[in-house]
């Protein structure tokens, strides 16, 4: 890309304030945190419900960015950069992408549907790449922002595009249609995702079909509602399992041990197709690919040979613990230029060590010459302050000299053979390679070895839930996020890194050692210690943590140490007891508190806080209002007496939703970040964060009268197929969840727990489930949810989450 500022001005109809309209830009950015921003970037200052990128423009100018698309020019920034002023920066980003898209005239495949878009996109990329130079959406970039960013990556060497589009409500698809303008449309399926954004299923289908309004063909599973809403003039190419008038009629489906065989008719002829999957979703996605290949007029032999090579698509960037105190970012299944940029930004948001290493394979399908491609990769490496590059592949080895501190190998096997001679310790390592390089073998070498039970943490879901609650806040209200108890069992440092990347105002921990661990991990966001012990005050001061002070004894102890260390205005947080009766200054101690702090220079009251006892129970609404009123009274007394204006906060997760008028200056987000709400109506708007997974260790069949587990608490009434799972109460699974009370999910089916939960194992009934040893098992996540488990056990979701043992490996992914 190289586009003159003056041409962009005309495209956007922007008001221009600057001095260099003849300058050109070569990339687009929307993330002020990205280290890839440069003087040749065009930064679109997007405005969200609780975030305005205009506030970061001054810092971006200092970092060297010169070109901005804005709604307004921030004060003090006039005459310091090129500004293109528009009414709406998101609309402008889409207009710019549509303008850029119109420079190219090759086939574009557009995908929409409730599920399967990314899988079909990646499979089509694999199936068609021998014959086309393809540009496609990186990862799942299918939103109002993701679509234009994907399209802007097109270059002159590409001759086929594959872009996906996702929507959550009406009036969205028409905008992204102008950006993608697909010539070939694929409707993967229609399901319940985002149903809340539409009045009816028909409205949802009608809206999604707008993507294909000018497409030359629409590929879809035959469906009465879809047929009804497709324009009569549109060319359709349909498939079906049960309607013989579909273009492709799949009249027989056989599920084998490790594959599926399909018999189908097309244009009056019968064919058979074997694919390496058994599940229904993969079969449907494969059929969408089949129809696309048929539309491109591939012969049956080519279709069969390529589709036999289809593979599971890994759509996630994973963060794992590595050997020698390393952190591993696993992106070992893709290697293209756009996804490399995304992975490097993710590396920056999740780096746990100053030292950063990238293990990178040859990059394919960039649409650039090798010289230009690896020159760009080298610039990315410099922008992102990468300390070491390990290149694997014939091509990247030829361009080794472009990189500082670089070692290369021709093959993955060469790297593995030399592994013992390489030093990996105390660093964050991004592993990114094309599938053909089998970088999963490198991940296995570098990954810390633990057992097969893992707690997977969805970082996208955390970001989504954070933004959901931020959207409820009034302008300028700050947000503290609680990462105590090891991030509610989900992992402290990794989540803290993400929250720091999102620029939250405060992090909250219970005890000093939790805060020290985060500070040692490189966290710079202010950290409040909510339950400090007096003996921890020296360590709190040493590590620049901020203590909550909740009683006079604690205040006197802290002031004594503060004076010994000759501190000046060290931040403290005053906790008031307004009715919780747990910790905090009572109303009758306020005068002594004020008297003690008056004229005190060693400390500064950074905030005043209290805690609602019944924020989640509207039956006690009046009690909550009494607490809020008392907090107002007590905090105002302190502020007046000391002539200060500190941050004030009383709301927790439930309080944010139930008492919006009591936000004061800050709120404290806790369990809601992790996808749990006490309100069933609100729960549907949150995304599941943690999925606890294990595997089947062994399967056996027992006869009637035989028992399972300690105490013979399960006695078989008939022949029963029993699977043993390597997770037990030492991992945090309550013994109360056994004996038929609870279940796990295997192959999307419930498997009841048989007998007692053991220390390291539990047994389940798989008599009605087709499964084998080594198959994945969901302990909790989407089903069962931690909310359901807590209800059945007579406890709360907090206890279920925080009980998960530290011996269970955490895997973070995006």
């Amino acid at each position: 890309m190289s586009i003159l500022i003056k041409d962009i001005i005309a495209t956007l109809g922007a008001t221009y304030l600057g001095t260099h309209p003849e300058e050109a830009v070569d990339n687009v950015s929307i993330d002020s945190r990205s280290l890839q921003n440069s003087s040749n970037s065009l930064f679109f200052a997007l405005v969200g419900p609780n975030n305005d990128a205009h506030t970061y423009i001054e810092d971006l100018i200092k970092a060297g960015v010169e070109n901005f698309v804005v709604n307004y020019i921030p004060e003090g920034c006039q005459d310091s950069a090129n500004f293109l002023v528009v009414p709406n920066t998101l609309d402008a980003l889409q207009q710019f992408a549509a303008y850029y898209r119109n420079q190219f005239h090759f086939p574009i495949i557009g995908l929409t549907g409730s599920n399967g878009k990314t899988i079909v996109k990646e499979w089509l990329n694999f199936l068609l790449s021998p014959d086309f130079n393809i540009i496609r959406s990186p990862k799942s970039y299918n939103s109002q922002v993701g679509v234009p960013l994907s399209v802007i990556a097109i270059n002159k060497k590409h001759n086929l595009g594959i872009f996906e589009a996702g929507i959550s409500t009406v009036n969205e698809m028409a905008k992204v249609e102008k950006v993608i303008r697909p010539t070939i449309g694929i409707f993967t399926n229609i399901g319940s995702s985002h149903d809340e954004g539409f009045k009816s299923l028909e409205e949802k289908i009608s809206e999604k079909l707008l993507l294909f309004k000018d497409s030359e063909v629409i590929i879809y599973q035959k469906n009465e509602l879809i047929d009804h809403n497709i324009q009569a003039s549109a060319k359709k190419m349909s498939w079906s399992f049960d309607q013989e008038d579909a273009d492709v009629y799949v009249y027989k489906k056989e599920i084998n041990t490790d594959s599926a065989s399909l018999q189908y008719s097309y244009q009056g002829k019968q064919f058979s197709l074997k694919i390496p999957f058994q599940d229904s979703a993969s079969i449907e996605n494969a059929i969408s690919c089949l129809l696309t290949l048929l539309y491109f007029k591939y012969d049956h032999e080519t279709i069969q040979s390529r589709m036999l090579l289809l593979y599971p698509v890994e759509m996630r960037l994973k963060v794992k613990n590595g050997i020698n105190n390393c952190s591993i970012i696993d992106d070992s299944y893709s290697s293209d230029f756009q996804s490399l940029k995304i992975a490097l930004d993710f590396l920056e948001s999740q780096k746990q060590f100053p030292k950063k290493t990238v293990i990178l394979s040859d990059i394919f399908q960039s649409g650039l010459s090798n010289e230009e491609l690896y020159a760009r990769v080298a610039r990315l490496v410099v922008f992102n302050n990468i300390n070491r590059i390990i290149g694997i592949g014939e091509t990247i080895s030829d361009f080794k000299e472009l990189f500082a501190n670089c070692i290369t190998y021709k093959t993955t096997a060469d790297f593995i053979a030399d592994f013992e001679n390489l030093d990996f310790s105390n660093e964050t390592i991004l592993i990114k390679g094309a599938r053909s390089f089998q970088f999963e073998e490198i991940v296995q070498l570098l990954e810390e070895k633990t057992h097969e039970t893992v707690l997977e943490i969805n970082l996208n879901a955390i970001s989504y839930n954070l933004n959901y609650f931020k959207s409820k806040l009034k302008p300028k209200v700050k947000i503290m996020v609680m990462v105590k108890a090891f991030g509610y069992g989900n992992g402290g440092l990794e989540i803290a890194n993400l929250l720091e990347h999102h620029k939250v105002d405060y992090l909250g921990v219970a005890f000093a050692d939790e805060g020290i661990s985060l500070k040692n991990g490189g966290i710079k966001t202010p950290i409040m210690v909510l339950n400090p012990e007096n003996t921890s005050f020296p360590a709190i001061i040493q590590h620049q943590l901020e203590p909550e002070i909740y009683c006079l004894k604690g205040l006197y102890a802290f002031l004594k140490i503060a004076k010994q260390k000759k501190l000046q205005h060290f931040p403290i947080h005053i906790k008031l007891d307004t009715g919780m009766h747990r910790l905090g200054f009572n109303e009758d101690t306020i005068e002594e508190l004020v008297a003690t702090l008056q004229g005190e220079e060693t400390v500064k009251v950074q905030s005043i806080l209290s805690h609602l006892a019944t924020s989640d129970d509207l039956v006690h609404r009046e009690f909550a209002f009494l607490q809020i009123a008392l907090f107002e009274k007590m905090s105002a007394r302190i502020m007046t007496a000391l002539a200060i204006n500190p941050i004030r906060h009383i709301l927790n997760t439930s309080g944010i939703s139930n008492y919006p008028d009591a936000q004061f200056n800050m709120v404290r987000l806790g369990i809601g970040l992790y996808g749990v709400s006490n309100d069933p109506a609100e729960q549907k708007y949150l995304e599941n964060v943690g999925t606890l997974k294990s595997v089947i260790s062994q399967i056996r069949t027992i006869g009637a009268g035989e028992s399972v587990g300690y105490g013979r608490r399960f006695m078989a009434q008939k022949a029963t197929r029993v699977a043993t799972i390597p997770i037990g109460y030492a991992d945090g699974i309550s013994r109360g969840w056994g004996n038929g009370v609870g279940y796990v999910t295997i192959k999307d089916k419930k498997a009841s727990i048989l007998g007692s939960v053991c220390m390291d194992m539990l047994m389940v009934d798989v008599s009605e489930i087709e499964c084998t040893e080594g198959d994945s098992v969901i302990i909790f996540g989407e089903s069962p949810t931690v909310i359901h488990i807590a209800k059945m056990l007579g406890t709360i979701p907090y206890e279920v989450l925080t009980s998960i043992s530290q011996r269970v490996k955490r895997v973070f992914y995006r």
Side-chain angles (χ1 to χ4, degrees):
M1 174 194 295
S2 180
I3 303 178
L4 296 177
I5 292 291
K6 67 177 183 179
D7 293 332
I8 301 172
I9 296 169
T11 298
L12 303 183
T15 300
Y16 176 69
L17 294 166
T19 56
H20 305 292
E22 298 296 331
E23 284 189 358
V25 297
D26 60 18
N27 73 87
V28 165
S29 174
I30 61 164
D31 189 348
S32 63
R33 301 161 297 193
S34 175
L35 298 180
Q36 297 162 31
N37 293 316
S38 69
S39 60
N40 298 116
S41 299
L42 178 63
F43 184 84
F44 284 79
L46 302 184
V47 179
N50 207 55
N51 189 43
D52 184 350
H54 292 78
T55 59
Y56 309 123
I57 287 178
E58 185 175 357
D59 291 338
L60 284 165
I61 291 172
K62 291 177 182 176
V65 180
E66 298 178 357
N67 309 293
F68 298 89
V69 178
V70 297
N71 293 346
Y72 62 89
I73 301 176
E75 189 174 344
C77 294
Q78 296 86 346
D79 303 322
S80 55
N82 287 321
F83 289 102
L84 285 68
V85 184
V86 297
N88 183 297
T89 48
L90 176 57
D91 289 346
L93 175 64
Q94 293 170 342
Q95 290 168 9
F96 174 78
Y99 159 77
Y100 187 73
R101 157 70 178 91
N102 288 336
Q103 312 303 307
F104 302 92
H105 304 286
F106 50 74
I108 298 285
I109 299 173
L111 299 106
T112 194
S114 298
N115 301 291
K117 299 183 292 294
T118 303
I119 302 291
V120 173
K121 177 197 71 185
E122 293 299 320
W123 283 355
L124 285 177
N125 175 67
F126 169 77
L127 293 165
L128 296 169
S129 59
D131 309 303
F132 294 93
N133 196 353
I134 301 172
I135 175 70
R136 69 192 192 280
S137 312
K139 301 297 179 182
S140 296
Y141 267 42
N142 59 28
S143 66
Q144 298 289 297
V145 174
V147 168
L149 292 178
S150 301
V151 167
I152 289 167
I154 299 174
N155 67 49
K156 293 179 180 178
K157 296 290 181 68
H158 293 126
N159 57 12
L160 177 67
I162 311 175
F163 300 108
E164 53 178 299
I167 57 171
S168 56
T169 189
V170 296
N171 302 321
E172 290 184 345
M173 191 61 86
K175 295 179 180 179
V176 296
E177 187 280 331
K178 293 177 182 176
V179 178
I180 299 177
R181 284 204 309 111
T183 54
I184 299 166
I186 301 176
F187 202 134
T188 56
N189 74 355
I190 191 71
S192 59
S193 300
H194 300 295
D195 273 356
E196 65 274 8
F198 303 93
K199 295 177 184 177
S200 65
L201 181 61
E202 185 165 6
E203 182 182 65
K204 182 177 178 180
I205 289 172
S206 178
E207 180 74 14
K208 286 182 176 289
L209 284 171
L210 291 176
L211 179 62
F212 310 134
K213 73 180 188 69
D214 293 321
S215 298
E216 63 189 40
V217 66
I218 303 173
I219 294 169
Y220 69 105
Q221 183 176 8
K222 196 166 181 59
N223 176 293
E224 186 176 337
L225 272 177
I226 296 178
D227 282 326
H228 177 71
N229 284 279
I230 291 180
Q231 297 177 22
S233 59
K235 180 179 178 181
K236 297 177 287 187
M237 190 172 181
S238 64
W239 68 271
S240 178
F241 288 122
D242 48 33
Q243 299 185 51
E244 295 185 32
D245 60 339
D247 294 283
V248 170
Y249 171 46
V250 183
Y251 55 86
K252 188 175 182 180
K253 177 174 66 173
E254 291 182 356
I255 304 300
N256 309 311
T257 304
D258 57 357
S259 62
S261 297
L262 307 178
Q263 305 290 324
Y264 69 92
S265 61
Y266 175 62
Q267 293 184 341
K269 297 180 181 180
Q270 277 71 46
F271 302 92
S272 61
L273 179 70
K274 186 177 181 180
I275 57 173
F277 298 97
Q278 303 163 290
D279 63 288
S280 58
S282 295
I283 291 170
E284 291 183 10
N285 291 333
I287 295 172
S288 292
C289 294
L290 167 66
L291 266 72
T292 308
L293 295 179
L294 291 172
Y295 183 75
F296 274 93
K297 301 188 183 310
Y298 281 87
D299 62 79
H300 180 71
E301 185 178 342
T302 301
I303 293 173
Q304 179 62 92
S305 63
R306 292 186 186 181
M307 292 192 72
L308 267 176
L309 299 175
L310 290 178
Y311 51 84
V313 173
E314 181 56 72
M315 295 178 287
R316 308 176 300 183
L317 286 153
K318 295 180 180 177
V319 184
K320 303 175 179 179
N321 292 329
I323 60 173
N324 304 326
N325 198 35
C326 288
S327 178
I328 308 298
I329 297 177
D330 179 3
D331 194 16
S332 56
Y333 292 99
S334 67
S335 183
D336 60 85
F337 187 68
Q338 283 304 106
S339 66
L340 174 61
K341 294 169 72 174
I342 294 169
L344 287 170
D345 277 340
F346 183 63
L347 168 63
E348 184 61 24
S349 75
Q350 276 297 311
K351 66 176 183 185
Q352 296 179 21
F353 305 93
K355 183 180 177 183
K356 296 182 288 187
T357 292
V358 174
I359 302 176
L360 182 66
S361 78
D362 287 348
I363 296 174
F364 301 127
Q365 292 184 295
S366 69
L368 305 169
S369 66
N370 286 335
E371 289 74 16
E372 185 176 358
L373 169 62
Y374 288 98
R376 290 192 182 190
V377 173
R379 287 197 294 272
L380 279 182
V381 167
V382 172
F383 287 150
N384 284 273
N385 302 319
I386 304 302
N387 302 93
R388 175 171 58 161
I389 286 284
I390 298 175
I392 299 178
E394 297 275 355
T395 308
I396 197 170
S397 296
D398 291 340
F399 292 90
K400 174 182 177 180
E401 301 306 319
L402 293 176
F403 303 94
N405 194 19
C406 176
I407 183 172
T408 60
Y409 300 90
K410 293 297 178 70
T411 68
T412 302
D414 292 341
F415 168 85
I416 292 172
D418 195 40
F419 182 75
E420 294 299 324
N421 298 317
L422 298 171
D423 175 41
F424 294 99
S425 60
N426 303 302
E427 58 191 301
T428 303
I429 306 167
L430 169 63
I431 302 174
K432 183 160 186 61
R435 185 174 182 83
S436 59
F437 282 86
Q438 297 180 315
F439 270 17
E440 62 270 21
E441 296 180 18
I442 296 176
V443 174
Q444 290 172 10
L445 281 174
L446 287 168
E447 190 175 2
E448 184 180 61
K449 303 303 182 285
T450 55
H451 65 83
E452 294 174 293
T453 297
V454 298
L455 179 60
E456 292 188 344
I457 311 299
N458 184 341
L459 296 175
N460 286 78
I462 288 180
S463 298
Y464 176 88
N465 295 336
L466 173 66
N467 289 328
Y468 170 79
F469 284 102
K470 285 174 72 174
S471 71
K472 291 176 172 284
L473 303 184
K474 299 173 183 176
K476 299 185 179 179
V477 172
K478 300 179 184 294
I479 190 165
M480 172 190 287
V481 179
M482 310 308 297
V483 290
K484 62 182 181 177
F486 194 57
Y488 289 68
N490 292 291
L493 180 57
E494 293 83 359
I495 291 174
N497 268 312
L498 179 66
L499 295 172
E500 185 164 85
H501 192 65
H502 281 292
K503 301 184 184 296
V504 302
D505 300 285
Y506 263 91
L507 298 174
V509 298
F511 300 105
D513 57 350
E514 295 176 311
I516 292 169
S517 177
L518 295 181
K519 286 290 186 181
N520 288 339
I523 297 299
K524 297 179 177 60
T525 301
I527 299 173
M528 183 191 300
V529 182
L530 281 85
N531 306 328
E533 297 155 323
N534 291 2
T535 55
S536 70
F537 286 157
I540 285 174
I541 292 169
Q542 176 187 348
H543 292 277
Q544 293 295 298
L545 304 172
E546 301 182 15
E548 174 189 285
I549 304 296
Y550 50 82
C551 65
L552 289 168
K553 180 182 177 182
L555 178 60
Y556 296 148
F558 190 82
L559 289 176
K560 180 180 178 181
I561 295 173
K563 288 172 182 176
Q564 290 172 352
K565 295 183 176 293
K566 298 180 181 177
L567 301 180
Q568 287 288 311
H569 306 296
F570 194 92
I572 63 172
H573 302 264
I574 301 298
K575 176 73 170 286
L576 305 180
D577 181 8
T578 59
M580 184 76 166
H581 297 330
R582 189 172 64 177
L583 293 175
F585 287 92
N586 296 322
E587 191 171 10
D588 59 7
T589 60
I590 294 299
E591 295 307 317
E592 188 172 352
L593 168 66
V594 167
T596 304
L597 289 174
Q598 278 180 328
E600 183 59 63
E601 294 293 322
T602 58
V603 296
K604 172 190 176 184
V605 178
Q606 187 74 8
S607 84
I608 303 174
L609 65 146
S610 188
H611 195 71
L612 294 179
T614 60
S615 64
D616 61 337
D617 190 349
L618 296 181
V619 171
H620 298 288
R621 193 172 179 83
E622 290 306 314
F623 184 78
F625 283 131
L626 288 173
Q627 278 197 266
I628 292 166
L630 183 57
F631 177 65
E632 174 69 55
K633 176 185 174 183
M634 293 170 68
S635 60
R637 169 74 185 100
I638 297 169
M639 292 164 64
T640 301
L642 299 179
I644 59 175
N645 187 28
I647 300 168
R648 291 192 290 173
H649 47 113
I650 192 172
L651 298 185
N652 57 4
T653 295
S654 298
I656 293 170
S657 299
N658 292 334
Y659 300 96
D661 292 331
Q663 293 178 4
F664 292 95
N665 312 103
M666 186 162 74
V667 299
R668 301 188 300 272
L669 178 60
I671 194 74
L673 182 78
Y674 307 99
V676 176
S677 172
N678 293 301
D679 180 0
E682 182 174 73
Q683 182 63 48
K684 67 181 182 180
Y685 292 106
L686 301 180
E687 292 191 355
N688 179 65
V689 168
T691 300
L692 182 59
K693 288 184 173 182
S694 192
V695 298
I696 297 175
S697 296
Q698 187 177 22
I699 296 175
R700 61 166 47 80
T701 299
I702 63 173
E706 293 190 81
S707 62
V708 172
Y710 288 114
R712 306 193 74 193
R713 288 186 174 86
F714 173 79
M715 301 290 293
Q717 302 299 310
K718 58 181 181 179
T720 304
R721 196 162 177 254
V722 180
T724 300
I725 318 298
I727 185 171
Y729 59 77
D731 300 292
I733 306 303
S734 171
R735 291 186 81 243
W737 190 232
N739 294 314
V741 175
Y743 67 91
V744 301
T745 300
I746 301 173
K747 300 284 188 178
D748 296 323
K749 294 182 178 180
K750 293 181 180 180
S752 179
I753 297 175
L754 303 177
S756 297
V757 173
C758 307
M759 179 180 285
D760 308 302
M761 287 170 278
L762 56 83
M763 287 69 73
V764 299
D765 183 353
V766 294
S767 301
E768 305 300 323
I769 303 173
E770 289 188 13
C771 57
T772 59
E773 293 171 359
D775 280 350
S776 179
V777 179
I778 305 298
I779 310 300
F780 66 63
E782 297 287 355
S783 177
T785 65
V786 293
I787 295 173
H788 174 75
I789 294 174
K791 182 179 179 181
M792 296 298 292
L793 294 176
T795 184
I796 56 177
Y798 297 76
E799 184 175 349
V800 177
L801 286 172
T802 57
S803 294
I804 303 306
S805 166
Q806 290 305 296
R807 79 177 188 177
V808 174
K809 180 174 68 172
R810 271 68 174 173
V811 173
F812 299 83
Y813 69 89
R814 186 175 244 173

